[in-house]
């Protein structure tokens, strides 16, 4: 890996005529205006190579000093693999790459064609819905390279997924070290060790609003205005795993709900969700994250359940803030579908009928989200101009199990949360 201050050699030019240009020093590198075929991992067969775009290149350590002796193999290439999420972008050695003659059309031009010339995988990018093309290209340009590759957090190491706008001195480092309790971060492990000797936090700052001693999990509410440093650190940390959220808006109106696993050493954060205090745009959740070493264990679904339990307490039907990431969408579709099927089963058991509106009022899931989930699994069907909901128990069972384990149950009697009251607005006169 090239050290601190590595020069970015290939520039993305969003103009229509030329997509990317070389700087003079890297003109022997593979032309980034054309797709390449590449291996993502060493053990991959050549026949399984994946189409990719070159985002950047850098001189290898063993490259000749004299420029005229350099070839395309004197560089490593930072690639984006087509039809893969940006978290798979990485530096790839030249021997894993085969150049092609397949020209990459600038996105701006394709947009003018009405996208008829065949869509690039990047254009069908729901994760950036709501962003103008130029805004998205600027976002991609500013965040195109990961500058921190690994995270050390408590007893875990993880590879990072995306660029995060840490302060300048934390870029171009291999590993960033976090205190798992106060979320202070360091560029050197020795600094973290010195910090841990002094840090006496054993749980997130803020109020414990949920606890389940049997399962050893707890939820903590942290108000950004009272614990700003903790929440900012968490925003930097989570940006390493969240591509589509920007850190450019103020985080003051947010509450962070931190989910922890407990042991004899303290309450260890496994994930969180943030929520606007003022219920802006009917959003009951702004960002959700499970730290990578705790993913696929049901914590994502549990966090979603908790967010809807808060909606129940507020008595407000809510929805997560858009856009959703690919993993966010999968998790929400899984949770919504299982929640709706649970509801249908309850109604069937009681012999009661129901409407989508009633379902929404009882589950606090927005009608549009219910419809999207039902359509996704083809449970809503048109017949003779009427729309019917398929409620065949066997089909429901099949669909239910295809969405993984159901969410861990929230013990509502253990949830002690009071919605935020804005003293300026909400206290009755
Ligand atoms: N591949 C396939 N299905 C998946 C995957 C995956 N990688 N991850 C989740 N799912 C689906 C599965 O159905 C899964 O159930 P299963 O594991 O029983 O099969 C279900 O979603 C939920 O899985 P959980 O274990 O409950 O969720 P997890 O703890 O992994 O957290 C989350 C999900 C929060 C989305 C996590 O992947 C994450 O933090 N991703 C990075 C940040 C992110 O993208 N957040 C969402 C942004 S959108 C927003 O903030 C509003
Ligand atoms: Zn600390």
């Amino acid at each position: 890996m090239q050290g601190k201050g590595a020069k970015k050699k290939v520039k993305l030019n969003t103009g229509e005529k030329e997509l990317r240009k070389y700087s003079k020093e890297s003109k022997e590198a593979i032309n980034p205006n054309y797709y390449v075929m590449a291996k993502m991992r060493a053990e991959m067969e050549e026949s399984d190579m994946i189409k990719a775009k070159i985002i950047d290149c850098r001189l290898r350590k063993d490259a000749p000093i004299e420029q005229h002796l350099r070839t395309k193999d004197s560089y490593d290439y930072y690639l984006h693999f087509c039809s893969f999420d940006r978290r798979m972008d990485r530096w790839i050695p030249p021997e894993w790459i085969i150049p092609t003659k397949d020209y990459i059309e600038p996105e701006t031009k394709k947009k003018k064609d009405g996208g008829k010339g065949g869509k690039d995988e990047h254009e069908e990018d729901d994760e950036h819905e709501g962003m103008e093309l130029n805004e998205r290209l600027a976002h991609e340009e500013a965040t195109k390279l990961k500058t921190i590759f690994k995270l050390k957090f408590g007893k875990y190491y993880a590879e990072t997924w995306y660029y995060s706008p840490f302060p300048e001195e934390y870029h171009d480092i291999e590993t960033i070290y976090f205190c798992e309790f106060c979320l202070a971060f360091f560029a050197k492990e020795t600094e973290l060790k010195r910090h841990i000797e002094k840090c006496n936090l054993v749980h997130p700052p803020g109020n414990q609003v949920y606890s389940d001693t049997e399962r050893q999990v707890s939820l903590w509410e942290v108000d950004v205005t009272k614990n700003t440093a903790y929440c900012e650190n968490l925003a930097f940390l989570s940006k390493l795993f969240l591509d589509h959220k920007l850190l450019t808006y103020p985080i003051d109106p947010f509450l962070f709900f931190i989910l922890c696993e407990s042991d004899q050493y303290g309450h260890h954060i496994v994930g969180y969700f943030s929520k606007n205090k003022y219920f802006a745009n009917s959003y009951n959740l702004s960002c959700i994250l499970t730290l990578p070493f705790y993913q696929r264990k049901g914590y994502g679904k549990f966090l979603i359940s908790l967010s809807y339990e808060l909606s129940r307490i507020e008595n407000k039907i809510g929805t997560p803030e858009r856009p959703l990431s690919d993993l966010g969408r999968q998790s929400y579709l899984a949770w919504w579908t299982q929640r709706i099927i649970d509801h249908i089963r309850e109604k069937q058991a009681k012999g009661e009928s129901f409407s989508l509106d009633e379902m929404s009022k009882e589950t606090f899931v927005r009608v549009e989200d219910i419809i999207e989930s039902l359509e996704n699994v083809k449970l809503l069907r048109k017949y003779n101009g009427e729309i019917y909901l398929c409620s065949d128990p066997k089909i429901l069972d099949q669909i239910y199990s295809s969405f993984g384990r159901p969410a861990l149950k929230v013990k509502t009697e253990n949830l002690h949360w009071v919605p935020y009251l804005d003293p300026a607005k909400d206290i009755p006169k």
Side-chain angles (χ1 to χ4, degrees), residues 30-31 33-38 50-52 54 97-104:
I30 302 173
N31 188 339
N33 290 326
Y34 294 86
Y35 288 106
V36 293
M37 298 301 289
I50 303 164
K51 192 172 170 182
I54 297 172
I97 302 175
I98 301 178
T100 77
K101 297 224 157 77
D102 191 358
Y103 181 68
I104 305 171

Side-chain angles (χ1 to χ4, degrees), residues 286-290 296-298 300-301 325 327 330-331 404-405:
S286 175
C287 268
I288 180 170
L289 173 87
T290 303
R296 299 306 296 271
K297 294 179 179 207
K301 279 185 183 166
S325 66
L327 294 172
Q330 284 176 24
S331 304
R405 289 152 300 174

